[in-house]
């Protein structure tokens, strides 16, 4: 009797494990395209966490559902259940296993964070650095209410679209001219709040050519949602060509949804006329991207 | 407050208790009876819950299409700011204070709280700061639009130029809320430490009392930080100091530390009493003792201690160095251990019992499942590399709504249904209760589950407009949001009609064990004719040990045998 119960439990646990592994593999598909070295690391971690989480969720909910279906009280039964007050061995097990589990997750996450090294070399002195090509001066990211402007100091180029060469360590200097902003590229799985008054070194390695969304992720006021741009990853040759072509361009006024919307002062069904901080004028740059450009 | 229409039915003609004040006007007075104050908290909080919910439904209306085409962006930003602020400071905290106010003195065998007048004063601050907060809709420029975190520099920008503006009123309201909560916390901790009935040692206290004590200790050490931060921000905004303004040499990240040093533990202030509700409800409806009661009780205190050491996990993507991110990742991971102990203990309590799926049990089970989901995504979020990706996205919004709606609101409903007969002396309608549960459970999952895929795909939170690829899940979430709005209707109908003309409730309709079930429904003003002498632990299901030694204990055993 006891061994049959044990066998049933083992079979159920194995089934749960198989389902969890399958869900863990599906988890890769819930993310945007994998366009950076960091994305691969984060997705592996997420898949691992999803596998573990699914196992625990199905296990606990399975027990509850079984109890709800099969352990209901009879209509005229006013008796109590068995007076079980606890079980020390069981309680030790369900304290120890989660403890080991979360320490394992933390250690694994630590290693991955170290490999990502997004805050610069100081941050991953113990880890294996992803092959870094030395770039003399970082690309300056200038954020403001509500525009993104990227400055390539060596080529004296400004752009409202971030261009990066593929498979090279991108080094950025994040700055804000007014309030907190968040530098976020979902396809790269990287994010960093930008603090006014501080210059933050930030780095990562794009690995897939294409055009991706770059979003403001830290709430920055009225037109926060419209403060988006693109990042273009291209071959080193195309990147060089773009830089040289852009350097030849005279500065022009770029598209800027926030400033345009503010100037148009659109009327919505529920309009209360509450004032907004006035957006900075549209940036004047060598290379102006269009909001209408497609992205992945 | 214009909640007269809801409170009027409080006057069932001829209450059974000779000593109980029987007119509804007592709920509008400076009553010092903890039971009156408890119901004042609950009803006031529920009115604000409806207001906060209406704001959320307007937001879901805006988000049903990608463009910002229903309300102005400034209005949208004010909506999410006020939604968060109202739901936390005017619904969740007062609602939990209401439950604790009503139940703690009864559960520990005390005639009232330790400081009855302080108790009333703490309550009456709630409508005061509630009024200040709502009044900010009427000042030029509308209410605060800086989110419920009020991060500077955005919170310092003040485009209206007026001294009296939405943001300054917001800060004043939050500071008053902090003072009210500190007053409440002093009262709760003193009451629990000093006023337990004879024989009620620490390990004879119901788990709910343990969780209230743990939660209120957090209020005592955490709230001073938030209140100080709010006052400094108010000075920056109004009299030109530069604590947090980078333009004047201040540090905006310092504010984030002040804010989260309290506002993360605040999550445990919220969830701990709900854990307590689960620990009370499961044994009653499973007819089994709470599994591992002592460990469950102590794990609340462990959570309190750990909760003070995890706040930076809200700032993993902020201006925090790598070592700090790693340190707080480890501390955050640890807090899942005592939480896990509780979850497993509830499952073991339910397992092998004789389950009765009455409305309180349904809400508790639904709340437990949603909390489990939130706990798992919470561990994911503690892992820094993953958090970097989903920080400030809808994944976070989904996660904490599973905590705050899935677990907290469902747990609160469980508590209200469970203790409704005790509070009013009337039974609620089971059918309406079950309908309410079904709508709430479906609505909450439909509303909040889609937020997880949205966040994984990279949709930031607090956006009034979004890229078209996010539309599908947003439509689902909006439908869920409207369903949640509808789900409150059977609840309101049930509460009002049962209160007016429900079936009379016996002293102990659930055959539950606990001092509050030994007195009449509703309890007399002085709670206990004779202070009970406690001789047993709180969860003696399946045994015949009497809970108390004096007369009312015999009444209890008698009742159990009879039913």
């Amino acid at each position: 009797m006891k061994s049959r119960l044990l066998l049933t439990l083992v079979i159920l646990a194995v089934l749960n494990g198989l389902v969890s592994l399958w869900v863990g593999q599906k988890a890769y598909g819930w993310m945007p395209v994998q366009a950076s070295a960091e994305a691969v690391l984060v997705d592996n971690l997420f898949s691992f966490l999803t596998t573990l989480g699914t196992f625990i969720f199905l296990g606990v909910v399975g027990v509850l559902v079984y109890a709800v279906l099969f352990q209901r009280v009879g209509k005229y039964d006013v008796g109590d259940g068995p007076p079980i007050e606890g079980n020390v061995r069981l309680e030790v097990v369900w304290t120890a296993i989660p403890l080991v589990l979360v320490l394992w997750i933390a250690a694994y996450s630590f290693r991955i964070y170290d490999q990502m090294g997004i805050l610069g070399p100081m941050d991953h002195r113990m880890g294996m650095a992803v092959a870094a090509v030395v770039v003399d001066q970082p690309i300056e990211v200038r954020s403001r209410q509500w525009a993104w402007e990227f400055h390539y100091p060596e080529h004296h180029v400004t752009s409202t679209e971030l261009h990066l060469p593929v498979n090279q360590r991108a080094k950025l200097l994040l700055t804000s001219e007014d309030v907190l902003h968040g530098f976020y590229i979902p396809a790269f799985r990287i994010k960093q709040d930008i603090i006014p008054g501080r210059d933050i070194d930030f780095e990562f390695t794009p690995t897939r050519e294409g055009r991706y969304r770059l979003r403001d992720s830290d709430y920055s006021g009225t037109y926060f949602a419209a403060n988006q741009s693109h990042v273009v990853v291209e071959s080193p040759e195309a990147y060089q060509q773009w830089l040289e072509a852009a350097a030849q361009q005279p500065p022009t006024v770029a598209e800027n949804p926030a400033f345009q919307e503010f100037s148009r002062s659109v009327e919505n069904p529920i309009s209360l006329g509450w004032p907004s901080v006035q957006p900075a004028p549209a940036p004047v740059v060598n290379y102006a991207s269009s909001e209408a450009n497609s992205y992945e | 407050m214009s909640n007269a229409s809801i409170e009027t039915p409080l006057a069932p003609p001829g209450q059974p208790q000779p000593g109980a004040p029987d007119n509804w006007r007592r709920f509008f007075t400076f009553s010092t009876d903890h039971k009156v104050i408890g119901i004042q908290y609950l009803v006031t909080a529920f009115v604000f819950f409806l207001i906060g919910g209406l704001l959320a439904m307007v937001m879901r209306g805006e988000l049903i299409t990608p463009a910002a085409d229903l309300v102005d962006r400034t209005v949208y930003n004010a909506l999410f700011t006020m939604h968060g602020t109202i739901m936390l400071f005017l619904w969740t905290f007062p609602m939990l204070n209401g439950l604790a106010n009503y139940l703690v003195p009864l559960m520990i065998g005390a005639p009232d709280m330790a400081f009855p007048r302080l108790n009333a004063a703490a309550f009456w601050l709630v409508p005061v700061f509630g009024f200040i907060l709502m009044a900010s809709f009427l000042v030029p420029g509308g209410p605060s639009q800086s989110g419920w975190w009020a991060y500077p520099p955005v919170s310092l920008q003040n485009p209206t130029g007026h001294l009296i503006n939405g943001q300054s009123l917001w800060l004043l309201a939050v500071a008053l809320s902090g003072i009210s909560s500190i007053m409440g916390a002093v009262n709760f901790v003193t009451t629990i430490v000093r006023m337990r009935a004879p024989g009620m040692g620490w390990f004879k206290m119901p788990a709910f009392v343990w969780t209230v004590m743990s939660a209120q200790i957090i209020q005592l050490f955490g709230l001073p930080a938030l209140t100080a931060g709010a006052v400094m921000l108010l000075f920056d905004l109004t009299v030109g100091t530069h604590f947090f303004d980078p333009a004047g040499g201040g540090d905006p990240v310092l504010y984030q530390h002040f804010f989260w040093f309290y506002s993360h533990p605040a999550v445990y202030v919220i969830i701990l009493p709900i854990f307590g509700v689960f620990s009370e409800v499961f044994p009653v409806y499973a007819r089994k003792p709470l599994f591992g009661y002592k460990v469950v009780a102590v794990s609340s205190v462990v959570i309190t201690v750990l909760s003070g050491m995890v706040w930076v996990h809200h700032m993993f993507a902020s201006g925090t160095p790598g070592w700090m991110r790693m340190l707080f990742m480890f501390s955050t991971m640890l807090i899942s251990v005592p939480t896990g102990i509780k979850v497993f203990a509830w499952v073991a309590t339910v397992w092998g019992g004789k389950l009765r799926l009455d409305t309180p049990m349904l809400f508790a089970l639904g709340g437990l499942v949603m909390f489990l989901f939130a706990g798992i995504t919470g561990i994911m979020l503690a892992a820094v590399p993953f958090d970097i990706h989903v920080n400030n996205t809808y994944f976070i919004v989904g996660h904490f709504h599973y905590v705050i709606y899935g677990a907290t609101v469902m747990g609160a409903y469980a508590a209200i249904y469970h203790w409704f007969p005790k509070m009013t002396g009337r039974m609620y309608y089971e059918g309406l209760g079950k309908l309410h549960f079904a709508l709430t459970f479906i609505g909450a999952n439909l509303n909040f589950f889609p937020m997880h895929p949205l966040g994984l795909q990279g949709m930031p939170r607090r956006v009034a407009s979004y890229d078209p690829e996010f539309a599908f899940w947003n439509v689902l979430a909006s439908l869920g949001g409207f369903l949640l709005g509808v789900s409150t209707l059977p609840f309101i109908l049930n509460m009002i009609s049962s209160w007016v003309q429900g079936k009379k409730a016996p002293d102990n309709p659930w055959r539950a064990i606990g001092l509050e079930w030994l007195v009449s429904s509703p309890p007399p003003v002085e709670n206990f004719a004779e202070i009970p002498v406690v001789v047993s632990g709180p969860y003696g299901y399946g045994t015949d040990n009497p809970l108390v030694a004096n007369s009312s204990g015999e009444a209890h055993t008698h009742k159990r045998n009879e039913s």
Side-chain angles (χ1 to χ4, degrees):
Chain A
M1 186 65 202
K2 185 126 190 186
S3 60
R4 239 181 77 186
L5 179 74
L6 201 68
L7 189 69
T8 317
L9 281 178
V10 169
I11 290 173
L12 287 174
V14 169
L15 277 179
N16 187 1
L18 290 174
V19 172
S20 304
L21 282 172
W22 178 73
V23 176
Q25 288 307 306
K26 296 294 283 182
Y28 286 99
W30 305 338
M31 289 286 205
V33 289
Q34 243 180 19
S36 74
E38 290 73 19
V40 178
L41 295 168
V42 170
D43 289 3
N44 290 341
L45 175 66
F46 178 58
S47 167
F48 166 73
L49 292 171
T50 305
T51 309
L52 279 181
T54 308
F55 187 84
I56 294 169
F57 187 79
L58 290 182
V60 173
V61 173
V63 172
L64 286 176
V65 167
Y66 183 92
V68 164
L69 291 180
F70 300 111
Q71 299 179 343
R72 304 264 283 276
V73 69
K75 201 170 179 187
Y76 301 103
D77 185 353
V78 290
D80 284 349
I84 303 166
E85 292 189 342
N87 179 328
V88 174
R89 206 164 54 172
L90 198 57
E91 285 165 57
V92 169
V93 166
W94 72 41
T95 310
I97 290 182
L99 183 66
V100 172
L101 216 55
V102 294
L103 288 178
W104 179 26
I105 295 171
Y108 178 34
S109 305
F110 183 95
R111 211 177 65 227
I112 285 192
Y113 184 74
D114 200 39
Q115 285 174 10
M116 290 166 70
I118 46 176
L119 287 182
M122 283 297 285
D123 209 43
H124 63 125
R125 57 197 176 282
M126 288 172 286
M128 306 158 288
V130 185
V133 171
V134 178
V135 181
D136 291 334
Q137 269 182 294
I139 301 163
E140 230 180 89
V141 176
R142 297 168 176 169
S143 57
R144 65 178 77 98
Q145 287 173 321
W146 287 270
W148 293 97
E149 193 180 315
F150 306 98
H151 178 224
Y152 295 75
E154 289 172 0
H155 296 81
H156 306 290
V157 167
T158 52
S159 165
T160 51
E161 191 172 73
L162 178 62
H163 281 244
L164 297 171
V166 72
N167 290 328
Q168 292 183 19
R169 195 79 177 151
K171 302 210 171 186
L172 307 181
L173 189 71
L174 307 180
T175 65
S176 165
E177 294 171 13
D178 37 47
V179 298
L180 300 169
H181 295 276
F183 179 88
Y184 178 33
I185 304 168
F188 295 173
R189 318 283 189 273
I190 50 146
K191 180 183 289 127
Q192 174 60 48
D193 289 1
I194 311 175
I195 318 286
R198 289 197 201 174
D199 296 337
I200 296 175
D201 289 308
F202 195 61
E203 53 179 79
F204 53 89
T205 310
T207 54
R208 184 178 179 278
E209 290 179 36
R211 181 191 300 271
Y212 311 103
R213 261 301 192 198
L214 183 159
R215 297 200 172 93
D216 190 349
S217 61
D218 202 358
Y219 177 65
S220 58
T222 311
Y223 295 93
F224 164 66
N227 196 19
Q228 312 192 92
S229 180
H230 295 109
V231 49
V232 176
V233 181
E234 50 201 357
S235 67
E237 302 79 46
Y239 173 69
Q240 279 305 324
Q241 276 172 16
W242 174 81
L243 269 179
E244 280 155 26
Q248 305 302 317
Q249 294 289 322
T252 50
V253 177
E255 246 182 67
N256 184 262
F259 188 70
Q260 283 152 2
E261 196 177 315
F262 180 80
S263 317
R264 270 203 320 273
S265 69
V266 277
E267 286 289 316
N268 279 322
I270 301 176
S271 181
L272 298 173
W274 292 339
S276 162
V277 170
Q278 190 168 343
V284 179
V285 289
N286 302 98
Y287 184 87
S289 68
S290 168
E291 258 295 290
N293 282 342
S294 67
Y295 57 90
E296 286 180 70
Chain B
M1 300 301 103
S2 58
N3 47 13
S5 58
I6 291 179
E7 295 203 337
T8 315
L10 281 183
Q15 275 201 0
Q17 268 314 302
D22 60 354
N23 71 77
W24 54 269
R25 285 186 185 82
R26 72 195 150 127
F27 291 103
F28 293 90
T29 63
F30 195 83
S31 169
T32 55
D33 183 338
H34 75 98
K35 299 181 289 300
V36 173
I37 295 174
I39 291 172
Q40 285 175 322
Y41 265 120
L42 285 172
V43 175
T44 311
F46 190 76
V47 169
F48 281 109
F49 180 54
L50 293 180
I51 295 172
L54 283 175
L55 302 186
M57 285 161 75
V58 179
M59 286 156 67
R60 283 318 320 175
E62 170 67 75
L63 293 176
I64 209 163
T65 56
D69 48 11
L70 179 65
V71 298
D72 293 342
R73 288 181 188 273
T74 46
V75 174
Y76 184 84
N77 296 339
L79 285 176
F80 73 68
T81 301
M82 295 300 276
H83 165 73
T85 310
I86 289 171
M87 286 307 200
L88 286 166
F89 295 109
L90 286 160
W91 154 244
T92 312
F93 289 133
M95 177 272 290
L96 294 167
N97 270 357
L99 284 180
N101 237 299
Y102 197 94
L103 295 172
V104 165
L106 286 168
M107 283 180 162
I108 63 173
D112 204 319
M113 296 280 281
F115 309 113
R117 265 175 300 201
L118 184 69
N119 199 15
F123 164 73
W124 280 103
L125 274 177
V126 174
V128 170
F129 71 77
F131 178 79
I132 293 174
L133 202 63
M134 300 315 289
S136 70
F137 273 103
L138 304 175
V139 297
S144 164
Q145 296 164 28
S146 59
W148 83 275
W149 310 342
Y151 273 8
V154 167
S155 55
L156 297 175
Q157 285 190 312
N158 188 13
T160 64
H162 298 294
L163 188 64
I164 305 293
N165 57 63
Q167 188 66 53
S168 58
L169 291 179
W170 185 94
L171 285 164
L172 187 64
V174 167
L176 285 176
S177 158
I179 291 167
S180 160
S181 293
I182 290 172
M183 286 157 71
V186 169
N187 212 346
F188 281 117
V189 174
T190 312
T191 305
I192 294 170
V193 172
R194 301 291 303 167
M195 295 186 61
R196 280 169 291 136
M200 182 167 277
W202 291 110
F203 285 108
K204 287 203 172 66
M205 291 198 313
F208 180 77
V209 180
W210 274 96
T211 57
V212 169
M213 188 179 71
S214 307
Q216 297 297 331
I217 289 173
I218 293 176
Q219 299 279 48
L220 288 180
F221 77 72
L223 264 171
L226 176 75
T227 310
V231 171
M232 281 148 89
L233 195 60
L234 189 60
F235 284 165
D236 275 12
L237 184 68
T238 52
V239 299
T241 56
H242 297 288
F243 292 112
F244 306 127
D245 182 6
D251 183 1
V253 178
L254 178 65
Y255 174 84
Q256 301 179 8
H257 284 287
F258 273 113
F259 183 80
W260 289 116
F261 181 79
Y262 169 68
S263 295
H264 184 74
V267 175
Y268 297 98
V269 176
I270 292 166
I271 201 67
L272 275 168
I274 295 299
F275 287 170
V277 169
F278 289 160
S279 295
E280 297 303 317
V281 167
F282 288 132
V284 175
Y285 297 87
R287 311 307 306 166
K288 274 181 68 198
L290 179 63
F291 194 94
Y293 157 67
K294 284 186 184 170
V295 181
V296 170
V298 170
S299 65
S300 303
V301 180
V302 175
I303 289 176
T304 296
V305 173
L306 287 175
S307 77
M309 301 189 272
V310 298
W311 77 94
V312 174
H313 68 223
H314 291 268
M315 303 162 59
F316 279 160
S318 179
T320 37
W323 65 265
M324 201 187 264
R325 296 176 181 186
M326 295 297 107
L327 187 69
F328 280 87
M329 171 170 76
F330 276 92
S331 63
T332 303
M333 290 284 179
L334 285 182
I335 209 160
S336 64
V337 175
T339 314
I341 289 174
K342 284 174 181 280
V343 170
F344 295 131
W346 296 322
V347 174
T349 304
V350 169
W351 181 257
K354 295 189 172 186
L355 302 193
R356 298 177 59 92
L357 296 183
D358 292 326
T359 307
M361 184 63 164
L362 287 174
F363 271 105
L365 285 169
L368 174 57
V369 169
M370 292 189 77
F371 177 73
L372 177 67
F373 187 82
I376 288 166
T377 54
I379 292 175
M380 291 178 171
L381 289 170
V384 174
F386 176 68
D387 182 78
I388 295 284
H389 172 51
V390 292
N391 182 289
N392 275 347
T393 68
Y394 259 89
F395 192 89
I396 304 275
V397 181
H399 160 76
F400 73 71
H401 277 90
Y402 264 75
V403 178
I404 224 107
Y405 205 113
T408 307
V409 176
M410 303 264 279
Y413 281 139
I416 290 169
Y417 282 110
H418 181 63
W419 281 290
F420 182 85
K422 181 55 61 185
M423 292 179 178
T424 62
R426 304 276 174 160
M427 299 303 289
Y428 62 85
Y429 298 106
E430 196 58 51
L432 276 176
K434 291 205 164 94
L435 173 68
H436 175 217
F437 168 74
L439 294 178
T440 308
F441 190 70
I442 296 168
N445 282 294
L446 188 60
N447 192 351
F448 305 126
F449 182 79
M451 294 178 173
H452 295 83
L454 284 172
L456 292 173
Q457 286 292 316
M459 177 175 164
R461 67 192 286 192
R462 300 180 164 167
V463 290
S465 58
Y466 53 84
D467 288 332
E469 69 261 28
F470 298 132
F472 171 73
W473 289 109
N474 270 299
V475 171
L476 286 188
S478 291
L479 295 178
F482 303 142
L483 185 58
L484 273 187
V486 171
S487 79
T488 55
L489 299 179
F491 174 71
I492 297 170
L493 181 66
N494 200 355
M495 291 296 109
I496 293 180
S497 56
S498 308
W499 218 334
V500 176
Q501 55 181 20
K503 207 174 74 183
K504 287 255 165 46
D507 294 355
N508 190 1
W510 314 121
R511 295 183 294 122
I513 295 174
L515 295 181
E516 78 270 29
W517 301 108
L518 300 181
V519 296
S520 62
S521 301
V525 172
E526 71 280 13
N527 290 352
F528 301 92
E530 179 193 349
I531 294 295
V533 177
V534 179
V535 293
S536 298
Y539 303 102
Y541 296 95
T543 65
D544 282 328
N545 305 334
L547 179 63
V548 295
N550 35 3
S551 55
S552 33
E554 282 154 30
H556 166 69
T557 1
H558 173 65
K559 278 232 157 43
R560 280 209 302 167
N561 295 339
E562 166 187 82
S563 50

